């Protein structure tokens, strides 16, 4: 099992890619246009105490503390699916786990799945936080074996 951590996942959603995916899922073009308008050209500033930064305009990501952000992110990642029957990709908002069923000591399908996920992340502007991404191996065999580390 590989537990994935993304760096600033919600902040990296590309609005035009999201709306393209939503259109492909069958959302009405007017709703896609509204979402694109909602997610682009947003003014943003930072307030600490009684001091506020200058305002900038952002055209990437989903707004913080917005009730739509988790569902928009989930829809953005809907096409991140396992490509092999012995693997599962589980997602809950920005939490992702890759689970591979390894039989006969052959880890190739699991390792290809992880490589596929890395490519999907690159194509979708998501950065894997490799320092916080962790692999857990559950080995049900009676004899003890060493496992090759997984490098991302």
């Amino acid at each position: 099992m590989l537990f994935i951590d993304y760096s600033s996942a919600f902040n990296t959603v590309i609005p035009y890619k999201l709306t393209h995916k939503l259109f492909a899922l069958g959302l009405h073009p007017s709703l896609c246009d509204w979402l694109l308008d909602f997610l682009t050209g947003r003014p943003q500033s930072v307030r600490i105490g009684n001091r506020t930064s200058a305002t900038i305009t952002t055209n990437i990501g989903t707004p913080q503390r917005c009730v739509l952000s988790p569902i928009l992110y989930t829809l953005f990642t809907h096409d991140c699916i396992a490509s092999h029957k012995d693997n599962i990709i589980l997602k809950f908002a920005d939490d992702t786990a890759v689970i591979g069923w390894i039989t006969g000591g052959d880890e190739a399908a699991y390792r290809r799945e992880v490589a596929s996920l890395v490519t999907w992340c690159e194509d979708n502007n998501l950065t894997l936080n490799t320092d916080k991404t962790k692999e857990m191996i559950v080995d049900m065999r009676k004899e003890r074996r060493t496992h090759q580390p997984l490098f991302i």
Side-chain angles (χ1 to χ4, degrees):
M1 288 180 263
L2 184 67
F3 299 96
I4 306 290
D5 186 77
Y6 298 108
S7 298
S8 301
F10 287 56
N11 295 333
T12 60
V13 171
I14 301 171
Y16 78 87
K17 275 193 172 200
L18 170 63
T19 55
H20 179 75
K21 290 179 181 192
L22 294 176
F23 180 75
L25 285 172
L27 254 62
H28 194 276
S30 297
L31 183 54
C32 292
D33 290 343
W34 180 85
L35 282 169
L36 185 60
D37 186 58
F38 172 69
L39 294 173
T40 56
R42 287 181 321 206
Q44 180 175 322
S45 60
V46 176
R47 183 174 5 127
I48 299 175
N50 61 353
R51 302 193 69 162
T52 303
S53 71
T55 300
I56 62 166
T57 301
T58 184
N59 290 307
I60 194 166
T62 59
Q64 289 186 11
R65 297 186 184 144
C66 175
V67 295
L68 284 178
S69 292
I71 189 70
L72 291 175
Y73 179 82
T74 299
L75 291 168
F76 183 69
T77 62
H78 87 278
D79 59 338
C80 178
I81 55 174
S83 59
H84 191 274
K85 65 178 180 64
D86 289 335
N87 299 321
I88 299 169
I89 296 180
L90 296 174
K91 297 175 286 185
F92 181 77
D94 65 335
D95 293 322
T96 302
V98 179
I99 302 170
W101 181 258
I102 298 167
T103 55
D106 184 8
E107 299 178 13
Y110 170 69
R111 290 180 179 274
R112 279 193 306 273
E113 197 70 64
V114 173
S116 232
L117 176 70
V118 169
T119 300
W120 182 91
C121 289
E122 291 167 354
D123 293 344
N124 287 277
N125 200 44
L126 289 171
T127 303
L128 291 169
N129 183 344
T130 54
D131 290 337
K132 291 184 177 179
T133 294
K134 302 295 179 192
E135 184 180 37
M136 180 173 75
I137 298 169
V138 179
D139 192 339
M140 305 303 275
R141 296 174 293 191
K142 290 182 180 182
E143 68 275 1
R144 207 151 182 53
R145 299 203 180 184
T146 59
H147 297 276
Q148 293 298 317
L150 180 66
F151 295 101
I152 299 176

